Amino acid sequence: IFRGRVKIPVSIFEDLSPAEALSKYLKENLGLRFSEIAKLINRDQRTVWLNYKNSSDKKISIKKNSISVSVEIFFNRRLSILESLVKHLKEKGFKNKAIAKMINQDQRVIATLYSRVKKKLR
């Protein structure tokens, strides 16, 4: 699987935990195996399986006008899934308020996450 070609709609992160949403989307919508997902996002296969299992009775919504991001933004293990997403969107020029609206969070949460990203990557 070529990491650069796999696109993730940002709207999937609205309702579930980020790791659950990502695992569920890659498994159910793209039909990937747990081992493939683990390689794509640089996480342990058992963690991917657990996140998927925890999301089994939940639904993800994919909005038509949702922007998409490449799965490769989630590869850095130093950052959480949500931190990686916020970092990417901030680098693309999105404001905290816009990011917050996209993933159904408070804009202060986005500010905190981005601040944490900057500390971790110093």
Side-chain angles (χ1 to χ4, degrees), residues 10-12 18 46 56 74 76 80 82 87-88 105:
V10 173
S11 66
I12 69 166
R46 294 164 298 197
S56 63
F74 304 108
N76 186 347
S80 72
L82 196 54
K87 174 184 179 286
H88 177 76
Q105 291 284 342

Side-chain angles (χ1 to χ4, degrees), residues 1 3 6 8 19 22-45 47-49 51-52 71 74-75 81:
I1 301 163
R3 195 175 296 120
V6 179
I8 309 295
L22 190 56
S23 297
K24 187 172 185 76
Y25 179 79
L26 291 170
K27 178 77 175 147
E28 293 180 4
N29 294 69
L30 300 184
L32 300 177
R33 296 191 322 269
F34 294 120
S35 60
E36 294 170 321
I37 296 168
K39 281 187 190 124
L40 267 181
I41 61 173
N42 194 24
R43 302 297 195 276
D44 189 278
Q45 188 174 329
T47 306
V48 172
W49 176 85
N51 285 318
Y52 178 73
V71 75
F74 304 108
F75 197 75
I81 301 294

